[in-house]
């Protein structure tokens, strides 16, 4: 059976709060916390916004590709939009192929660039931590690793 793997930590830009988002977060966190049974979503997102402000401008994003026999498995440390997984499955040089989410870390949602203008909580600054182009960069890196694995000669004992 052919077994192989590739791993890399791709440098990806983190999202940066705008001055308006930062002002809103500071204002929200300056108010006393409510003591109620309800979840204080504005306070949660204000905290996330402040955390992103403190995050380094680039982050190492762990990516991995595994080959197990004829199958290619890619992995990302995010909650991946289905289009990204379908694109990996379609474009992988090793078939069949599929993509796993939430491997090696948790780095928030990973929308495609076209989703950011559409909005939705998956694109909010407190939910999506990586730059809008991150999915394209990460997918390209996985496909490159899969192509590298495909070029390797079969391992001893493989069929």
């Amino acid at each position: 059976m052919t077994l192989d793997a590739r791993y890399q930590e791709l440098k990806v830009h983190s999202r940066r709060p705008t001055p308006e988002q930062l002002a809103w977060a500071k204002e929200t966190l300056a108010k006393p916390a409510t003591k109620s049974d309800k979840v204080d979503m504005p306070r949660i997102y204000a905290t996330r916004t402040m955390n992103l402000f403190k995050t380094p401008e680039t982050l190492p994003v762990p990516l991995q590709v595994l080959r197990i026999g004829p199958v290619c498995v890619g992995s990302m440390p995010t909650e991946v939009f289905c289009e990204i997984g379908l694109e990996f499955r379609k474009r992988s040089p090793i078939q069949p192929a599929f993509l796993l989410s939430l491997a090696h870390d948790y780095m928030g949602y990973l929308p495609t660039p076209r989703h950011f203008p559409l909005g939705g909580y998956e694109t909010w600054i407190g939910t999506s931590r990586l730059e809008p182009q991150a999915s394209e960069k990460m997918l390209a890196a996985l496909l490159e690793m899969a192509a590298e694995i495909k070029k390797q000669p079969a391992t001893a004992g493989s069929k």
Side-chain angles (χ1 to χ4, degrees), residues 35-80:
K35 292 185 179 184
S36 74
D37 292 338
K38 294 183 180 180
V39 175
D40 189 348
M41 292 305 287
R43 191 168 196 80
I44 290 169
Y45 275 87
T47 301
R48 290 179 180 181
T49 300
M50 292 304 296
N51 288 342
L52 272 174
F53 178 68
K54 299 171 191 172
T55 300
E57 287 191 33
T58 59
L59 299 169
V61 177
L63 301 172
Q64 188 168 31
V65 171
L66 305 167
R67 182 171 187 178
I68 306 167
V71 178
C72 183
V73 181
S75 69
M76 293 182 176
T78 54
E79 292 191 52
V80 179

Side-chain angles (χ1 to χ4, degrees), residues 19-144:
E20 295 80 17
Q21 290 168 327
L22 200 53
W24 168 82
K26 288 177 181 178
E27 180 183 315
T28 300
L29 292 173
K31 298 174 188 171
T34 59
K35 292 185 179 184
S36 74
D37 292 338
K38 294 183 180 180
V39 175
D40 189 348
M41 292 305 287
R43 191 168 196 80
I44 290 169
Y45 275 87
T47 301
R48 290 179 180 181
T49 300
M50 292 304 296
N51 288 342
L52 272 174
F53 178 68
K54 299 171 191 172
T55 300
E57 287 191 33
T58 59
L59 299 169
V61 177
L63 301 172
Q64 188 168 31
V65 171
L66 305 167
R67 182 171 187 178
I68 306 167
V71 178
C72 183
V73 181
S75 69
M76 293 182 176
T78 54
E79 292 191 52
V80 179
F81 271 39
C82 67
E83 288 106 309
I84 301 162
L86 291 171
E87 192 69 17
F88 179 76
R89 183 170 75 177
K90 178 176 134 186
R91 293 177 51 199
S92 174
I94 302 168
Q95 293 293 325
F98 64 95
L99 188 62
L100 296 176
S101 294
L102 305 174
H104 302 292
D105 201 344
Y106 177 74
M107 302 182 93
Y109 278 91
L110 186 66
T112 64
R114 76 177 189 85
H115 283 96
F116 283 89
L118 300 174
Y121 79 97
E122 298 98 337
T123 65
W124 293 352
I125 188 120
T127 307
S128 174
R129 303 178 200 165
L130 302 175
E131 64 177 295
Q133 303 304 319
S135 68
E136 291 177 343
K137 293 177 179 182
M138 293 162 65
L139 178 61
L142 287 177
L143 292 170
E144 211 173 276

